[in-house]
Amino acid sequence: MTHDPVTLDVATAQSRRRAAHDAPFLAAARGDTPSRRPVWMMRQAGRSLPEYREIRAHVGMLDACFTPDLLSEITLQPVRRHDADAAILFSDIVVPLKAAGIDLDIVPGRGPVVAQPIRTREAARNLPVVHTEQLQPVVEGIAGVLEGLREDQVLIGFAGAPFTLASYLVEGGPSKNHEVTKGLMYSQPEVWHELMRALTPSIIRFLAVQAEAGVDALQLFDSWAGYLSARDYREYVAPYSRQIFAALEPYGIPRIHFGVGTGELLGDMAVVGPDVVGVDWRVPLDSAAERISSALATEDPQGSPEQRLRTLQGNLDPAVLFAGPEVVREQVQRVCGEADRAMARGLARGHIFNLGHGVLPTTDPDAITRAFEEVHQQ
Ligand code: 1CP
C-alpha cells in the first residue's frame, strides 16, 4: 500500500491555539527566561491519583481514551492537584492504532495487547492508516482540556514513535527484551522498513490532529529505543522519527523527544529534529547537554552556537518520590543545579523539570505535590 502524504492545516492549528505565549513551559522550550521553572511529570495523570482510580473503577482504559469528558477530566486532575505547568493529554500510544481499526486492548496490569501480531510483509503493508474522523473524540477531549487550563498552563499532545509502537505490534504485547521485534528487524529488514513506512503517516496524523485541535506542544515517546545500539537506531529508526519531526515543523510548537535508557542515544535522538530533549534519570543533565550539543555540532558544522542548543527535560528518578521530603528536596535541587550548569556553560538553552520516566502507580500524591512546589522555588 502506498500512503498519501499527511496534509497539514497550519491555519486551523494557529486559530485554535490559546494566547499562552508567556507560559513558563513555552518560554523554557524557546530558550527565554521563564517566570518560574516549569514542571510536569510523565504519567502524572493516572493510577497515583485516587480521583483517577475512582473514574477508572467504572470504565475501561481505552473507553476512557475515547470518551471526551473523561479524557479532559483525567487530564486536568493532576494539573489542579499539583499546580503543574503542563497537562499531558490522557490517551495512550496505541490510541491511533485502535482508532484505525486494529484489534487491540489495554489489559489491566499488563499494557497494550494486540490480537494478531504484525510479522509479515503483507501484514505490514496492510496496516491501516488512521483518518482524522476516527480521532474525533480526542479532538473534543482536547477542547475540554483547553477550557480548563489557565493561560500560563500548556497542553502537551503526544504519540508513540515508530520503534516503540512497532514493538507492541510485532511482539503482540509488552516485552522485556524486544527480541521478536529485533529478530524481525535484523532478519527481514525489508519487512521492518515496510512496517516503519506504514506507521509513520499514522503517527504524523495523530500528532497533526492534536496540533490542529489546539495543543501547545507535542512529545514523541520512543520509550523502548534504549534497547537499540546507536548504529541500529540510525539505520532502522532515525529516518522515520526525523520524518515525523520535519512534518510537524510548520506548526511552530515545541516538539519533545524522549526514551528510557537512551543515554547512549541522546545525540542521535537530538539530531532527528526535536526542540526539547527528554533525558531519563541515568544521565546527569549537564552530561546529557554535552552529548546533545556535540552531536548537533557534528551534524551541522556550519551552524551557529545557538543552533546547537536544545532545552532539556528531566530527570528525577521516579523512585526518589518514595524516599521522603528531605531526599526529594535534595534531589530536586541537584537536578536543577545540573540543568543550570549546562545552561551556564552554553550547552543548553532551557530546563523543563520532569521525572526520568513516568510516575510509578504507588507514589504518594502528596510527595508529587511537594516535588512540584520544590521545583517552583528553584
Ligand atoms: O489502568 C490503567 O490505568 C492503565 C495504565 C495506563 C495509563 C495510565 C496505560 C496502559 N496507559 C496510560 C496512559 C498513558 N500512556 C499516558 C497519559 C497519561 C500521562 O502520562 O499522564 C501516556 C503519555 C502514555 C504513553 C505510553 N503508553 C507509553 C509511553 C510513555 C512511557 O511511559 O514510556 C507507553 C510505552 C505506553 C504503553 C502502555 N500503556 C499502558 C501501559 C501499562 C503501557 C506500558 C506497558 C509496557 O510496559 O510495555
Side-chain angles (χ1 to χ4, degrees):
M1 210 193 302
T2 55
H3 301 290
D4 296 335
V6 178
T7 43
L8 308 187
D9 184 352
V10 176
T12 297
Q14 277 162 356
S15 70
R16 293 264 165 82
R17 201 145 339 113
R18 301 156 316 133
H21 193 74
D22 293 332
F25 175 100
L26 294 178
R30 283 194 302 267
D32 293 341
T33 306
S35 56
R36 68 180 188 183
R37 193 180 304 247
V39 47
W40 68 282
M41 289 183 184
M42 292 182 278
R43 298 279 171 116
Q44 64 188 14
R47 283 176 296 172
S48 64
L49 301 185
E51 56 270 36
Y52 168 80
R53 292 197 297 268
E54 201 173 300
I55 292 182
R56 283 292 321 286
H58 316 286
V59 54
M61 173 69 196
L62 278 170
D63 288 337
C65 292
F66 285 96
T67 309
D69 288 355
L70 291 185
L71 82 84
S72 343
E73 169 56 24
I74 297 172
T75 302
L76 289 166
Q77 284 175 346
V79 181
R80 291 197 284 257
R81 189 190 258 265
H82 307 306
D83 188 21
D85 295 285
I88 175 128
L89 184 69
F90 184 77
S91 185
D92 194 81
I93 57 171
V94 296
V95 160
L97 306 178
K98 178 75 183 179
I102 296 173
D103 186 1
L104 62 84
D105 200 4
I106 295 184
V107 176
R110 201 164 161 224
V113 174
V114 179
Q116 282 161 339
I118 309 287
R119 295 177 183 167
T120 63
R121 176 168 236 177
E122 211 200 342
R125 207 177 269 162
N126 290 331
L127 201 74
V129 173
V130 74
H131 293 292
T132 304
E133 310 81 66
Q134 294 168 318
L135 294 165
Q136 196 51 33
V138 175
V139 171
E140 288 169 31
I142 289 173
V145 178
L146 294 175
E147 275 171 31
L149 290 176
R150 294 195 311 254
E151 279 236 322
D152 60 343
Q153 293 168 324
V154 300
L155 175 58
I156 303 168
F158 73 90
F163 177 77
T164 293
L165 273 185
S167 167
Y168 289 102
L169 288 172
V170 176
E171 304 282 340
S175 164
K176 207 159 175 241
N177 299 308
H178 307 273
E179 62 270 43
V180 185
T181 310
K182 291 168 77 175
L184 177 107
M185 191 173 88
Y186 295 133
S187 64
Q188 301 182 74
E190 67 295 344
V191 175
W192 175 259
H193 288 292
E194 187 81 49
L195 179 56
M196 293 287 99
R197 279 196 297 276
L199 278 171
T200 301
S202 271
I203 296 168
I204 295 174
R205 185 158 290 143
F206 186 42
L207 292 166
V209 162
Q210 295 174 72
E212 288 168 24
V215 302
D216 304 287
L218 292 167
Q219 175 153 329
L220 189 67
F221 281 98
D222 213 348
S223 297
W224 312 138
Y227 282 83
L228 296 170
S229 68
R231 197 184 51 209
D232 291 344
Y233 179 82
R234 280 173 212 154
E235 180 168 349
Y236 297 108
V237 178
Y240 306 100
S241 296
R242 190 184 286 270
Q243 214 178 310
I244 293 166
F245 283 113
L248 301 168
E249 182 164 24
Y251 292 118
I253 58 178
R255 296 158 295 173
I256 314 166
H257 203 189
F258 169 78
V260 184
T262 47
E264 298 302 324
L265 298 181
L266 280 172
D268 289 290
M269 289 177 74
V271 301
V272 298
D275 308 289
V276 178
V277 181
V279 182
D280 99 333
W281 74 88
R282 292 165 179 87
V283 183
L285 288 179
D286 46 351
S287 310
E290 274 172 26
R291 295 176 195 194
I292 293 164
S293 62
S294 92
L296 290 162
T298 308
E299 169 91 353
D300 180 15
Q302 317 306 339
S304 68
E306 292 75 46
Q307 285 168 329
R308 289 174 202 157
L309 300 182
R310 295 294 178 270
T311 293
L312 304 167
Q313 180 173 276
N315 73 344
L316 185 74
D317 182 340
V320 165
L321 296 173
F322 291 76
E326 278 310 308
V327 178
V328 170
R329 179 171 310 129
E330 266 167 43
Q331 294 294 315
V332 165
Q333 288 171 358
R334 174 186 59 76
V335 169
C336 293
E338 286 162 358
D340 291 346
R341 221 163 21 249
M343 289 188 272
R345 289 172 56 202
L347 299 170
R349 66 177 179 208
H351 180 214
I352 296 164
F353 195 98
N354 205 308
L355 299 181
H357 194 193
V359 172
L360 297 163
T362 54
T363 310
D364 173 4
D366 292 339
I368 304 176
T369 306
R370 279 196 301 271
F372 274 73
E373 284 167 3
E374 188 60 39
V375 174
H376 285 148
Q377 285 164 29
Q378 297 300 307

